[in-house]
Amino acid sequence: MDKLIIKGRNKLYGKVSIGGAKNAALPAMAAAILTSGDVRLSKVPHLADVTTMVALFENMGISTTGYGGTTTDATSGRSVTINTSRMNTYEAPYKLVKTMRASILVLGPLVARYGRARVSLPGGCAIGSRPVDLHIKALASLGADVSIEHGYINVTAKRLTGAKIVFDTTTVTGTENIMMAATLARGTTIIENAAKEPEISSLAEQLVNMGARINGAGTDLIEIQGVDQLHGCSMDIIPDRIEAGTYLIAAAAAGGEVEVTGCNPRHLDALLFKLNEAGIEYSETADSVMVRRNRDTWLKSANIKTQPYPNFPTDLQAQFMVLLTQGDDTGIITETIFENRLMHVAELRRMGADITVENNVAIVRGKTRLMGAPIMATDLRASASLVIAGLIADNVTEISRIYHLDRGYEGMEEKLSKIGAQIERVKA
Ligand code: UD1
């Protein structure tokens, strides 16, 4: 298993360009199941999770042309053309779903187009139990017969029928699954308490390009009028706001001057607001953000609470925690989305961080000089936080289990090396 070795305390200077969003690419791929036409996606990031989706598709007989290609520019992404005309099974097996929960995104499209699906229940994961009950309940409301047998969700339906769905909890992939399912249902579906993430709006735009009738995506009430069939489309994957946010936090923590390019600053407002509160200067253009921290003083401590978009994203919580160790006082992090998403605290403590956890609240004391240590990545975003910790720590930090990082960050060590970090990947 590969390891990352980081020699810390270098300031970062230069530009980092951002790739397509993992969390937009996965639903965009799943949407291809809704049509027999070609769905051509550009700016698809080359990430382990996308590769898992490709493996899932190949397992189903769905062709994915182009993704295997290589490019010398890690940020240019790939184009992939998906075609389902030779699809031969409606099943997503456990061996693939267990490595990537987002495989559940094929459920809605399969039932909508083929009237049947068999998808493994994802089970628990490092950041909590993460049930899919809301996806299942909503599909049942659209008239599907759902049963759970031998760890699989079996769904059948003649043709789904539009209905009013009110999600108890805002769910991103749940909203995406039902929005996709409803595009081919008979009649109108209303989704209340829908997730408002940019990835939802981007999926809606793609579905409309494919002939769907959708209004309200990006608000908490989405209306979908079902149509008889959808056609192929071409679509660019939107920039990854979490990747962009991770590099902005890295630059803020390490100091220097870094321009994060090819992003949408409006998708980063909650983070930018908090960076500003922490005393970080930034400037932006339509598609880039530059952060500056040239003085070696402590930052101002700030508090964050993770909540659905447009509030502070849970996927940047771990990274921001590292920044708060550099505050002048105490910062409080309240994690409201996932019940077990503070596992990085134990690793950060090994590096000298002074953090106390009470239930879903982490109390982060500032003015801490982190020290390099051997540490272990626990989940995708926690891994990114450990990299940032390594960048600002004294001496050498050695991070193992970095396969988590490869699920969501393309070429992270190349991107960081280019702006002055001393970071290398070694085979363990
Ligand atoms: C998506 C993102 C993930 C991000 C998360 C929250 C993708 C592929 N993943 O995950 O990166 O961290 O949104 O922004 O887009 N819940 C239920 N029952 C359900 C579904 C969800 O109780 O059926 C709960 C979850 O346990 C969690 C909350 O709802 O507490 C929000 O989860 P959800 O938005 O569904 O997360 P994902 O879509 O899995």
Side-chain angles (χ1 to χ4, degrees):
M1 264 189 283
D2 293 0
K3 283 185 180 183
L4 280 181
I5 312 283
I6 305 172
K7 191 162 177 308
R9 298 201 66 78
N10 285 359
K11 287 194 172 169
L12 306 177
Y13 292 93
K15 288 187 185 191
V16 179
S17 58
I18 297 308
K22 167 179 89 72
N23 288 352
L26 299 173
M29 292 172 78
I33 295 175
L34 292 163
T35 176
S36 60
D38 280 353
V39 169
R40 185 172 188 280
L41 303 173
S42 304
K43 301 189 179 172
V44 177
H46 202 198
L47 298 167
D49 275 9
V50 177
T51 307
T52 302
M53 199 68 150
V54 166
L56 178 62
F57 278 15
E58 278 168 6
N59 197 59
M60 295 164 104
I62 300 174
S63 74
T64 53
T65 314
Y67 181 67
T70 54
T71 156
T72 47
D73 178 0
T75 59
S76 67
R78 279 80 175 155
S79 291
V80 54
T81 301
I82 304 171
N83 187 286
T84 58
S85 38
R86 295 190 178 184
M87 199 173 133
N88 51 31
T89 164
Y90 310 95
E91 178 171 321
Y94 179 60
K95 69 171 196 285
L96 291 168
V97 178
K98 76 170 189 224
T99 61
M100 186 183 68
R101 298 178 43 80
S103 316
I104 193 75
L105 284 166
V106 301
L107 186 65
L110 281 176
V111 181
R113 172 126 181 265
Y114 297 98
R116 54 198 269 221
R118 185 166 187 266
V119 175
S120 170
L121 270 171
C125 75
I127 62 173
S129 63
R130 296 182 79 176
V132 288
D133 57 318
L134 300 174
H135 302 231
I136 294 172
K137 258 168 66 180
L139 275 178
S141 303
L142 296 181
D145 283 326
V146 186
S147 62
I148 311 272
E149 277 164 19
H150 309 296
Y152 277 77
I153 312 164
N154 293 310
V155 188
T156 53
K158 268 219 167 83
R159 184 176 177 189
L160 296 172
T161 312
K164 182 169 174 174
I165 314 279
V166 184
F167 280 121
D168 292 341
T169 306
T170 310
T171 160
V172 177
T173 48
T175 301
E176 290 165 349
N177 234 335
I178 300 313
M179 190 163 75
M180 288 190 279
T183 56
L184 292 178
R186 190 184 306 112
T188 302
T189 298
I190 308 270
I191 306 177
E192 280 190 24
N193 198 20
K196 298 182 281 202
E197 271 66 3
E199 294 76 21
I200 305 271
S201 309
S202 154
L203 176 62
E205 190 187 328
Q206 177 186 348
L207 293 167
V208 168
N209 285 344
M210 293 168 71
R213 297 172 69 188
I214 302 175
N215 280 308
T219 75
D220 55 12
L221 196 146
I222 303 178
E223 183 179 319
I224 305 123
Q225 284 169 275
V227 296
D228 289 339
Q229 60 177 25
L230 297 178
H231 50 76
C233 71
S234 289
M235 184 79 193
D236 280 359
I237 302 300
I238 59 170
D240 196 317
R241 64 197 165 94
I242 304 302
E243 187 193 20
T246 299
Y247 288 110
L248 290 172
I249 296 172
E257 191 167 295
V258 172
E259 187 179 9
V260 170
T261 61
C263 63
N264 182 339
R266 289 293 66 74
H267 294 170
L268 290 158
D269 278 334
L271 171 67
L272 293 175
F273 187 77
K274 285 293 166 185
L275 285 176
N276 196 31
E277 208 176 305
I280 300 290
E281 289 173 42
Y282 71 87
S283 56
E284 57 180 57
T285 68
D287 63 357
S288 73
V289 181
M290 162 121 80
V291 289
R292 251 172 252 101
R293 180 173 167 215
N294 291 322
R295 281 168 302 138
D296 282 318
T297 48
W298 298 113
L299 297 169
K300 291 195 206 107
S301 292
N303 301 330
I304 60 162
K305 186 177 190 179
T306 64
Q307 290 183 95
Y309 190 86
N311 294 304
F312 196 95
T314 177
D315 285 353
L316 289 175
Q317 175 259 107
Q319 300 88 316
F320 204 84
M321 184 179 287
V322 177
L323 192 72
L324 289 182
T325 65
Q326 306 306 296
D328 58 357
D329 203 335
T330 298
I332 296 179
I333 294 183
T334 310
E335 170 58 57
T336 76
I337 308 289
F338 294 115
E339 75 264 28
N340 196 20
R341 207 177 201 180
L342 294 169
M343 303 233 299
H344 41 284
V345 170
E347 301 301 309
L348 293 175
R349 278 203 197 117
R350 301 193 68 250
M351 300 178 73
D354 184 354
I355 305 171
T356 317
V357 173
E358 285 170 21
N359 301 315
N360 64 332
V361 176
I363 299 154
V364 188
R365 284 167 207 91
K367 294 190 180 172
T368 310
R369 187 141 179 168
L370 296 180
M371 298 166 291
I375 47 175
M376 204 188 282
T378 50
D379 71 62
L380 167 55
R381 305 304 171 185
S383 314
S385 80
L386 299 183
V387 171
I388 299 172
L391 292 176
I392 65 172
D394 285 334
N395 302 317
V396 174
T397 298
E398 195 179 304
I399 310 177
S400 54
R401 297 206 179 163
I402 54 161
Y403 53 84
H404 289 295
L405 203 63
D406 297 331
R407 287 189 39 221
Y409 293 92
E410 183 166 357
M412 189 181 229
E413 57 277 19
E414 285 90 19
K415 290 186 185 185
L416 285 172
S417 295
K418 260 197 201 160
I419 55 172
Q422 277 181 273
I423 176 168
E424 65 168 328
R425 182 182 288 246
V426 295
K427 299 265 173 226

